[in-house]
Amino acid sequence: MSDLIPVTLIPGDGIGPEIIASTLEILETIKAPFQWDKQLAGMAAVDASGDPLPQQTIDSIHKTGLALKGPLTTPVGKGFRSINVTLRKEFGLYANVRPTRTLIPGGRFENVDIVLVRENLEGFYAAMEHYIPVGDDPKAIATCAGYTSRTECRRIVKYAFDYAVKNNRKKVTLVHKANILKELCGLFLEEGRKVAKEYEGKIACEERIVDACAMELVLKPETYDVIVTTNLFGDILSDLTSGLIGGLGMPPGANIGEKAAMFEAVHGSAPDIAGKNMANPLAVLRASAMMLEYVNRVDLAKRIESAIEKVVVHDKVRTKDLGGNASTSDMTAALKRAIA
Ligand code: NAI
């Protein structure tokens, strides 16, 4: 019997196939124990079958419980569901984990090492929206009803604290807006405080109102460790934390559920540079390193992180977004040499 772990592989759209191909070359070099089941989603799937998220792709993830995904272009226009939201719901991927760490010294911010844990299923992204007509204007008022559940608040905060324990972190910051959204965010804070008590003496806990947190993140980002927050705030703050370390080319993301997990770059399909051999492959490569950690191959994940550091920091092989002139293939070749 094979010891390989089956993984659904979705190359994705735009720069997706280029950066996934680069990652696969590196995973092959270190003999990562994965067996790929290649499936389509996004525009590639629309072109092939008219459906941006074919049932076959969903079935594959149900079977493997693991997916490595390139960015997907969500087709503009009515009739298409948001693919990412559908995937999160279908597989109950409740925790979105986005680590951001300073790699190249001399940037605007030094010593950033923040892991943002975002609740992925509830809040305002439950998309319970509608218009209320007034007079002859059918869209006079727009409303959106967000919700949080006690169970989900508890589960996401607990995930963040467990993550902190497992990864030798010292502090978790609960980020909320309970001063204004007294029930929606109040419940998150109430449950968060209860969970924090269970980790007293092991992991410190702080609380921040989201607007104050945004300001502190650009004034003294080095004081943050693990952040846990609700869906909308997490979406916004995780782009902010990506900006702190020089943009979207580097940060990976994991979407974790009880029965499945999906790993991807934080960035999108970058249509402006697609097919030009210019894309930075590091975010999706780091996502594959998170997947290696998830399957308990921390040794291989560490080799990837060390090779990235050698190539980008010491040898200064950098793509254009990092201020260099290396192509995707130059960087892939350098990484393969560094990791072999
Ligand atoms: P984007 O992240 O694709 O691009 C924003 C900017 O960052 C562009 O200038 C792009 O060239 C640059 N960039 C992104 N990744 C890069 C990389 N690896 N190397 C070098 N430069 C990089 O965001 P945008 O343009 O708003 O979205 C494009 C498409 O991607 C949309 O259809 C959107 O829906 C989709 N998207 C998909 C996501 C996913 O599948 N998880 C996440 C975000 C957006």
Side-chain angles (χ1 to χ4, degrees):
M1 219 176 80
S2 160
D3 288 335
L4 296 178
I5 302 163
V7 180
T8 305
L9 178 73
I10 302 172
D13 300 315
I15 58 171
E18 298 164 64
I19 56 179
I20 288 280
S22 163
T23 295
L24 291 186
E25 280 191 46
I26 291 146
L27 292 178
E28 219 165 88
T29 309
I30 57 171
K31 298 194 167 47
F34 297 129
Q35 182 176 50
W36 306 106
D37 179 21
K38 194 167 158 189
Q39 296 292 339
L40 295 177
M43 285 313 287
V46 171
D47 293 343
S49 68
D51 182 352
L53 187 57
Q55 190 58 43
Q56 195 177 312
T57 303
I58 295 176
D59 290 345
S60 168
I61 304 173
H62 272 297
K63 218 183 290 166
T64 61
L66 268 182
L68 181 65
K69 171 177 153 302
L72 304 177
T73 301
T74 295
V76 179
K78 293 208 163 129
F80 289 111
R81 309 164 278 174
S82 158
I83 308 161
N84 288 319
V85 172
T86 309
L87 283 169
R88 281 178 214 145
K89 287 235 151 87
E90 175 76 24
F91 297 101
L93 305 175
Y94 67 95
N96 184 203
V97 186
R98 294 179 168 184
T100 39
R101 183 165 59 86
T102 309
L103 188 62
I104 302 173
R108 211 178 290 171
F109 300 97
E110 300 282 355
N111 303 319
V112 176
D113 187 1
I114 299 170
V115 178
L116 193 137
V117 178
R118 163 191 171 195
E119 197 288 312
N120 229 0
L121 300 173
E122 298 189 337
F124 288 115
Y125 285 25
M128 295 184 292
E129 296 183 282
H130 67 274
Y131 290 113
I132 301 171
V134 176
D136 57 3
D137 183 355
K139 292 185 177 179
I141 298 170
T143 75
C144 174
Y147 76 94
T148 45
S149 67
R150 193 185 289 285
T151 327
E152 201 55 66
C153 291
R154 183 175 171 79
R155 184 161 69 154
I156 193 67
V157 177
K158 194 160 171 15
Y159 182 91
F161 274 89
D162 285 341
Y163 180 98
V165 171
K166 196 168 166 203
N167 292 279
N168 237 352
R169 296 276 176 162
K170 305 276 173 279
K171 181 176 72 176
V172 173
T173 306
L174 304 172
V175 175
H176 63 89
K177 187 74 186 173
N179 53 327
I180 304 292
L181 298 167
K182 290 184 191 297
E183 294 176 14
L184 190 76
C185 292
L187 190 58
F188 172 78
L189 189 57
E190 189 182 311
E191 283 309 306
R193 285 175 176 164
K194 282 189 210 160
V195 172
K197 267 211 157 42
E198 295 165 21
Y199 293 80
E200 234 167 31
K202 264 197 278 181
I203 302 289
C205 180
E206 280 185 354
E207 296 170 11
R208 285 288 180 281
I209 294 174
V210 64
D211 34 341
C213 173
M215 182 189 65
E216 277 191 356
L217 277 172
V218 291
L219 285 180
K220 39 179 184 175
E222 69 286 350
T223 61
Y224 279 86
D225 189 347
V226 176
I227 292 176
V228 61
T229 189
T230 46
N231 204 339
L232 174 63
F233 300 154
D235 196 4
I236 298 167
L237 291 181
S238 64
D239 267 32
L240 193 161
T241 52
S242 299
L244 295 175
I245 57 148
L248 285 168
M250 309 264 259
N255 297 278
I256 310 284
E258 306 281 357
K259 291 193 185 139
M262 195 168 71
F263 298 83
E264 61 185 342
V266 167
H267 64 70
S269 56
D272 51 331
I273 56 165
K276 295 185 178 161
N277 198 20
M278 280 171 69
N280 183 348
L282 294 183
V284 85
L285 178 61
R286 286 181 137 171
S288 78
M290 290 180 87
M291 188 162 80
L292 282 163
E293 277 182 34
Y294 182 83
V295 299
N296 297 319
R297 289 303 306 263
V298 180
D299 56 325
L300 295 181
K302 281 196 174 143
R303 273 177 75 187
I304 290 179
E305 286 300 334
S306 312
I308 291 176
E309 196 156 333
K310 175 170 189 315
V311 166
V312 176
V313 182
H314 302 292
D315 302 345
K316 297 192 170 53
V317 180
R318 296 174 189 167
T319 42
K320 197 162 166 230
D321 59 300
L322 299 178
N325 54 18
S327 64
T328 313
S329 24
D330 292 338
M331 200 178 239
T332 309
L335 286 162
K336 280 170 73 177
R337 279 195 300 274
I339 212 165

